[in-house]
Amino acid sequence: MKQLGAGSESDSGTLLQWRTREYDCVQCALDGGDQLDGMEVNVPLGPSASARDVECTFSPKHLTVSVKGHAVLDGDLYAEVKPSESTWSVEGGMLTINLAKRVAGSWPELIVGEKHINPFEHRKHLARVSSELWRYFQGYDCMVRGADQSIVKQTNWYIQDEVGLSVAHSSTPNVCCLPFIYLSAQGQMSPFSILWPIESINSGDVLTRDFCPSWLKDPRQRQGYLQAVFPAPTQPLLDAYLAFTRELGQTAVGATRAALPASPTPLSQARRVFVSEATSEVKQAISAAGFEVAESVKDADIVLDDDIAAHADKVTSQHPLNIVFSSTDKTVLALQ
């Protein structure tokens, strides 16, 4: 089998491949020829599906596919095929159907009346859904049997329904919510979410659960995780920022004149600042705060360096305030 062209259309404008909500289609040439005399149809079934679960029936103008007794594809074909030369197989959870056309030529559709997905619109919708819903994704790992009968670990992702999504976050939750997988006798998995109370809940109370994983214990790491989940800053994060600014203010107040040389340049006249090993971002922050960036200690009025003895004629700093010059935001805050 040979695919003619890598894109969705040939040079002549012939539609070579398309996608529907149920399956993907690719028009191809059988036996390495140059005629569109074949059609490859790919139907995703799921990783646990095998060939014994599938029943595929060909007729010259009709195609029927059922999985475990449930029809997944049933309709009239656009044109006739050769049932005796058409085949199907299942590998890696994908059903692949190869149809041999009775008359070679381009088909605009596989099943009469099918609706194609516009690739551009599809990508746009995927991007929008991903940007809005990724924070609600949850997942679980399970062991499944692969196509080669080996046992492999598989991660399944899911989004809860409107009830699950309405449960708010709290570090002191009143409910727990965990995935539960029901495995039928036929081997079909059905995932559910179980929610149960862990505190007394009264009428009108908001249901809350801990959005952070159970293994995440460090408070700062938890805040980082929650900041990624929620678009707006969480109250604990705002509280942490306020605590930082208070601590910075206390450090600045504690930096007494006694820690500086006896006769430095008056601070009111200081305009040029030198920061040891300053990055470009720090230099931009110094300029943004209304100071000039000095390229050397000799040209500076203020020197931020640990070697206080080497700069006796400069305003220097050797107190803990130095640590705030590790980022742009902290540099601006310190200079202000």
Side-chain angles (χ1 to χ4, degrees):
M1 184 178 65
K2 172 184 173 185
Q3 292 187 12
L4 302 179
S8 60
E9 292 186 358
S10 66
D11 295 338
S12 62
T14 300
L15 189 64
L16 296 178
Q17 56 186 14
W18 60 87
R19 171 179 293 178
T20 72
R21 293 178 64 89
E22 294 80 21
Y23 50 86
D24 297 347
C25 295
V26 180
Q27 301 200 74
C28 53
L30 301 176
D31 302 324
D34 295 323
Q35 303 248 342
L36 292 175
D37 55 357
M39 176 77 76
E40 180 181 297
V41 185
N42 293 300
V43 185
L45 302 179
S48 61
S50 62
R52 62 175 176 272
D53 303 322
V54 178
E55 184 177 350
C56 191
T57 305
F58 303 109
S59 64
K61 276 281 290 180
H62 198 89
L63 176 62
T64 303
V65 176
S66 62
V67 180
K68 296 182 179 179
H70 300 285
V72 296
L73 201 160
D74 188 1
D76 293 329
L77 296 170
Y78 172 77
E80 289 190 5
V81 298
K82 304 174 184 177
S84 60
E85 299 180 20
S86 300
T87 62
W88 63 271
S89 61
V90 176
E91 184 175 356
M94 181 71 70
L95 167 63
T96 300
I97 303 172
N98 292 301
L99 298 174
K101 300 177 182 177
R102 186 168 296 278
V103 178
S106 173
W107 288 14
E109 57 186 359
L110 172 69
I111 302 296
V112 176
E114 69 185 9
K115 293 183 179 179
H116 296 180
I117 295 176
N118 183 297
F120 174 77
E121 291 295 327
H122 182 63
R123 288 193 296 270
K124 184 173 71 173
H125 290 321
L126 283 179
R128 181 175 63 85
V129 170
S130 299
S131 64
E132 294 294 331
L133 293 182
W134 69 266
R135 60 177 60 91
Y136 301 111
F137 288 170
Q138 299 187 61
Y140 58 87
D141 294 336
C142 60
M143 307 304 291
V144 299
R145 190 178 298 277
D148 58 355
Q149 300 304 307
S150 62
I151 303 298
V152 296
K153 185 174 78 170
Q154 173 185 297
T155 299
N156 291 331
W157 297 96
Y158 67 95
I159 295 179
Q160 293 181 326
D161 60 15
E162 62 274 14
V163 176
L165 293 178
S166 66
V167 180
H169 164 75
S170 174
S171 297
T172 55
N174 53 24
V175 300
C176 269
C177 186
L178 290 175
F180 172 78
I181 304 173
Y182 171 73
L183 186 63
S184 69
Q186 292 75 29
Q188 185 173 5
M189 292 189 300
S190 300
F192 300 90
S193 288
I194 327 177
L195 184 145
W196 68 94
I198 57 176
E199 299 288 345
S200 297
I201 301 174
N202 300 316
S203 176
D205 289 351
V206 176
L207 299 183
T208 59
R209 65 184 183 89
D210 192 345
F211 276 39
C212 292
S214 58
W215 50 264
L216 199 57
K217 304 297 184 183
D218 184 88
R220 294 185 180 182
Q221 292 182 2
R222 284 177 58 86
Q223 289 310 313
Y225 184 92
L226 293 174
Q227 182 63 21
V229 172
F230 297 104
T234 60
Q235 188 58 46
L237 189 65
L238 295 175
D239 293 342
Y241 174 75
L242 292 176
F244 164 75
T245 56
R246 286 195 296 267
E247 181 182 351
L248 184 62
Q250 292 171 358
T251 302
V253 171
T256 62
R257 189 77 173 184
L260 304 177
S263 302
T265 303
L267 195 59
S268 60
Q269 301 176 15
R271 300 305 309 158
R272 297 180 297 276
V273 180
F274 173 81
V275 179
S276 177
E277 300 181 358
T279 64
S280 58
E281 290 82 2
V282 170
K283 292 181 179 179
Q284 291 174 7
I286 292 174
S287 299
F291 292 84
E292 298 177 14
V293 178
E295 297 299 331
S296 66
V297 173
K298 180 180 178 181
D299 300 328
D301 299 320
I302 301 176
V303 175
L304 295 171
D305 194 352
D306 289 334
D307 189 2
I308 189 173
H311 318 299
D313 59 337
K314 309 291 182 182
V315 176
T316 59
S317 172
Q318 200 182 26
H319 53 73
L321 191 62
N322 278 358
I323 64 172
V324 304
F325 288 89
S326 59
S327 72
T328 300
D329 291 342
K330 292 180 181 180
T331 299
V332 173
L333 184 59
L335 288 174
Q336 288 174 344

